[in-house]
Amino acid sequence: MAALGLQFRIKRLLATSTVLGRLSRASSTSQTFAEVLRLPQRQLTKLVYPLQELQQHLVPDTMPDLHLKTFDPSLEDITRADSVFAASPRNRIDYLSSAERLDHAPALSLPEVCFIGRSNVGKSSLLKALFSLAPDVEVRVSKKPGHTKKMNFFKVGKYFTLVDMPGYGYRAPEDFVDMVETYLKERRNLKRTFLLVDSVVGITKTDNIAIEMCEEFGLPYVMVLTKIDKSSKGHLLKQVLQIQKFVNTQTQGCFPQLFPVSVVTYSGIHLLKCFIANITGSLK
Ligand code: GDP
């Protein structure tokens, strides 16, 4: 039903897609939120609240299922969050260390967030986008099969640490699950797990293993939908509605609001930064 309503609206949308495509590419170069604030309202909404922008193309009765404003920060808070992620002499953002086992992880009292997702989901790209205002931070990529995969720790000022977990997938080494599982189960300062799902593909069997892990350990986690620039609006909406339904009906620990992002258009990145800053207490 929703799909039929969608199709109708999407035709109209496609007519303007070339123009919108140009707009989004233009805005992708905007890095600081101060620059984003100067954009016309419509572009700003598209860039900062991609879910709300999608909502405009939904038939009204599908809307209550979507948690569009569960996390609805002010533009001022988003601006403040941006500065948390901006490196300066007073706000050092650095790669800290890597670890193969939890007992080699830095012992830290700061709040921590971690990013997990299957290989190729867009995790390194997303971390690079989050750290775009900290150009010295190098997101390490180890993709060669057979190479030991590690957890990489980053320190974001005096606020929090961010952990890049190795990508999972059918090539993941056997000890990988042990590493991730132990970390998720035992890391005391872990405040939130960000589970990345490719918005083009949807939730895969391997994603389900990670979801089950988070559910089993009673972890609070958040689903981030990557690569939203790659799909047509219709496909993206279909995926978002399916994933939202899954979150609403099959999960306990997942934050109800989805976070769609694109590193190409930079859509959703500022909101995600603000969410991270918020849950780590960095905006106090
Ligand atoms: P990882 O294995 O999870 O770290 O994935 P990468 O960040 O290396 O991304 C895998 C592929 O997806 C690369 O070719 C990226 O350029 C591409 N990619 C990542 N994010 C996006 C996105 O937001 N939009 C598009 N179009 N491609 C993306």
Side-chain angles (χ1 to χ4, degrees), residues 42-82:
R42 193 170 167 207
Q43 263 180 275
L44 187 140
T45 305
K46 186 177 162 69
L47 195 66
V48 182
Y49 308 106
L51 213 54
Q52 287 182 35
E53 202 256 344
L54 274 178
Q55 166 211 7
Q56 296 163 22
H57 311 291
L58 278 173
V59 286
D61 62 344
T62 51
M63 274 196 268
D65 295 339
L66 280 178
H67 291 259
L68 296 160
K69 296 198 168 190
T70 305
F71 177 66
D72 190 21
S74 64
L75 293 176
E76 193 195 354
D77 278 349
I78 301 180
T79 308
R80 283 167 64 212
D82 215 38

Side-chain angles (χ1 to χ4, degrees), residues 190-194 214 217-222 253-255:
L190 178 62
K191 291 284 173 240
R192 204 65 59 111
T193 297
F194 290 85
C214 293
F217 305 151
L219 294 174
Y221 62 104
V222 180
C254 188
F255 190 70

Side-chain angles (χ1 to χ4, degrees), residues 117-128 139 141 143 164 167 196 198 226-230 261-266:
R118 64 175 178 77
S119 305
N120 223 36
V121 74
K123 187 160 53 63
S124 325
S125 307
L126 177 61
L127 295 182
K128 280 180 197 155
V139 177
V141 187
K143 287 190 172 164
D164 177 16
L196 275 52
D198 189 327
T226 61
K227 309 185 190 180
I228 60 166
D229 62 284
K230 275 183 93 175
V261 295
S262 161
V263 303
V264 174
T265 61
Y266 216 73

Side-chain angles (χ1 to χ4, degrees), residues 96-116:
L96 265 182
S97 62
S98 298
E100 275 175 53
R101 290 173 22 200
L102 183 59
D103 49 6
H104 296 163
L108 287 163
S109 52
L110 286 178
E112 191 157 280
V113 293
C114 80
F115 282 71
I116 61 173

Side-chain angles (χ1 to χ4, degrees), residues 20-33:
L20 287 177
R22 245 183 271 132
L23 287 178
S24 61
R25 267 187 290 282
S27 54
S28 69
T29 52
S30 302
Q31 289 202 323
T32 68
F33 198 62

Side-chain angles (χ1 to χ4, degrees), residues 208-224:
N208 261 317
I209 296 171
I211 292 169
E212 278 165 20
M213 239 192 255
C214 293
E215 290 287 329
E216 191 187 322
F217 305 151
L219 294 174
Y221 62 104
V222 180
M223 243 183 248
V224 177

